Amino acid sequence: QVQLVESGGGSVQAGGSLRLSCVASGYAFSVGWFRQAPGKAREGVAVVYSVDGGTNVADSVKGRFTISRDNAKNTVYLQMDSLKTDDTGTYYCAADPKIRGIFDDFRYWGQGTQVTVSS
């Protein structure tokens, strides 16, 4: 069982930055960030792996978002720069004991944190 707690969401103007944090209570090989805008399907944003710190980032956020992991703190971060209004949504942290990609389903999910980007 892995419990996940997200933080760091908020409101920001387009072009601004936010950093999301996800604290995990247990071990997970894969930790990812997903988002869902109202009326839209959930979208995988980024994933990081515990073994080598390898990452995978969705094309829609590549070059603007960075995922990182601090194993000592059991925390995964999503640094979001150059935010756009299209980035608005609820962001969820997810974890899985196996290898999972941004298009896969994860076993454990957090409650989500709201990100609102205004023009």
Side-chain angles (χ1 to χ4, degrees):
Q1 183 80 13
V2 177
Q3 293 183 329
L4 305 166
V5 179
E6 305 103 328
S7 62
S11 297
V12 65
Q13 288 191 323
S17 298
L18 284 172
R19 189 177 79 158
L20 306 182
S21 299
C22 172
V23 179
S25 65
Y27 171 79
F29 187 92
S30 307
V31 179
W33 284 99
F34 294 76
R35 67 185 182 185
Q36 188 166 21
K40 294 187 177 181
R42 188 179 66 199
E43 173 189 18
V45 176
V47 62
V48 63
Y49 303 106
S50 66
V51 174
D52 58 0
T55 64
N56 188 25
V57 180
D59 288 343
S60 58
V61 303
K62 195 164 292 183
R64 300 188 297 119
F65 289 13
T66 303
I67 188 170
S68 61
R69 183 169 184 157
D70 186 336
N71 288 332
K73 296 182 178 180
N74 291 330
T75 302
V76 171
Y77 303 100
L78 184 68
Q79 178 67 42
M80 305 186 295
D81 299 318
S82 302
L83 282 161
K84 305 176 181 179
T85 55
D86 287 348
D87 295 319
T88 294
T90 302
Y91 282 69
Y92 298 91
C93 178
D96 199 285
K98 298 182 180 180
I99 298 175
R100 293 288 182 264
I102 59 172
F103 299 110
D104 295 329
D105 196 12
F106 281 55
R107 184 171 182 179
Y108 304 106
W109 292 82
Q111 294 299 308
T113 185
Q114 179 66 33
V115 171
T116 303
V117 184
S118 59
S119 58

